[in-house]
């Protein structure tokens, strides 16, 4: 059985240069005169960029303190031992006092760091309801099954926000105090808690449900807070622009980390007399110790850090560029030796012929 000419023509592509693959093409021929300079130039570029990143990272100042509270490590051990692996009493507090001999150049960022905390665990990472977090009323009262066992409360009420990520919300709090003169009074350093979350998270991904009679509490009526929360989500802050699902601390925590040791931004110091940084003098950080980590062998740290044009302290990026640049130059030298050796051999063979 043969096809007719019409049938064959209907299944044939158009007779154009593009469909018939007749477009002009260029295929580079990589000779030694082209490949070797490329390797050396790429290597020098990577090394130059790596040196800039490395020295920029080393120029960032950091001041950190481990306040986990292991026995004999400071006054926070009292709070840690009071909890014995569980949450300590709500009134438990400790302090970290230190002195700065010179200006700690700003802007200064205050981070908390957790270690041995695997937010990248698969079941932990999917234990959330993005539709609920976006403020959909239907999802608010019908959380997804992935949130289990933090989907429904013991009374059968839907949990808002549901899931293991929200249930494990970091809830330590900090305040910074500065003694300008020896023997003088301590004054509180203003901590800017706004704008610490990603713009897309705060303005796009997270939304409160529509208000009911102008009340956010009524909007969450018929739901229960996560088991580990001492208060409901609509009572996280007295600021109406920083409570509910759009609470900055909550939004920051819900962006899970990829590694078991991670930092999250707590506040920025950039207001009043501290816009240029932390002046010299004595400081104390008052810590409200709520978050238990000793049960899973974790650690908690407070970190004051400055930034540079490349962001926070990250020596790995500079080292990675230096290693890649060095490998490019080493590969270039190996190819050059091979090229010279076989070039001489080819010249000898041609002379013999």
């Amino acid at each position: 059985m043969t096809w007719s000419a019409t049938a064959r023509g209907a299944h044939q592509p158009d007779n154009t240069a593009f469909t018939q693959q007749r477009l002009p093409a260029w295929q580079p021929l990589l000779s030694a005169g082209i490949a070797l300079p490329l390797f050396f130039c790429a290597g020098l570029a990577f090394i130059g960029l790596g040196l800039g990143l490395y020295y920029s990272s080393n120029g960032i100042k950091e001041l950190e303190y481990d306040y986990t509270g292991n026995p004999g490590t400071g006054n926070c051990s009292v709070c840690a031992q009071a909890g014995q692996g569980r949450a300590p009493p709500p009134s438990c507090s400790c302090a970290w006092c230190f002195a700065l001999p010179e200006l700690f150049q700003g802007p200064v960022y205050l981070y908390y760091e957790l270690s041995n905390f695997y937010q990248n665990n698969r079941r932990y990472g999917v234990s959330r309801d993005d539709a609920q977090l976006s403020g959909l009323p239907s999802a608010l009262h019908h959380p997804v099954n992935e949130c289990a066992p933090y989907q429904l409360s013991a009374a059968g009420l839907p949990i808002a926000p549901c899931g293991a990520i929200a249930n494990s919300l970091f809830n330590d709090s900090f305040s910074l105090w500065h003694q300008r003169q020896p023997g003088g009074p301590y004054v509180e350093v203003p901590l800017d808690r706004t704008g610490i979350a990603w713009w897309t998270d705060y303005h796009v991904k997270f939304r409160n449900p529509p208000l009911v009679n102008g009340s956010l509490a009524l909007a969450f009526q018929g739901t229960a807070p996560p088991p580990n929360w001492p208060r409901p989500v609509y009572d996280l802050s007295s600021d109406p622009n920083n409570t509910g699902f759009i609470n900055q601390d909550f939004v920051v925590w819900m962006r899970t980390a990829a590694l078991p040791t991670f930092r999250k931004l707590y506040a920025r110091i950039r207001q009043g007399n501290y816009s240029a940084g932390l002046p010299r003098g004595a400081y104390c950080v008052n810590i409200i110790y709520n978050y238990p980590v000793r049960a899973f062998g974790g650690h908690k740290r407070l970190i004051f850090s400055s930034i540079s044009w490349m962001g926070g302290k990250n020596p790995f990026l500079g080292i990675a560029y230096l290693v890649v640049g060095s490998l490019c130059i080493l590969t270039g030298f190996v190819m050059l030796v091979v090229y010279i050796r076989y070039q001489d051999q080819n010249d000898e063979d041609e002379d013999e012929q």
Side-chain angles (χ1 to χ4, degrees), residues 329-349:
I329 291 182
L330 178 62
T331 304
F333 276 113
V334 171
M335 293 176 63
L336 179 61
V337 170
V338 172
Y339 170 72
I340 293 175
R341 178 181 177 182
Y342 283 96
Q343 182 69 22
D344 294 340
Q345 183 176 346
N346 291 336
D347 292 342
E348 292 177 358
D349 293 341

Side-chain angles (χ1 to χ4, degrees), residues 303-334:
I303 300 168
F304 290 94
S305 176
S306 58
I307 62 171
S308 68
W309 60 272
M310 59 162 286
K313 193 176 186 68
N314 183 17
F316 172 78
L317 191 60
I319 294 174
Y321 274 100
L322 289 173
V323 170
V324 173
S326 302
L327 290 176
C328 286
I329 291 182
L330 178 62
T331 304
F333 276 113
V334 171

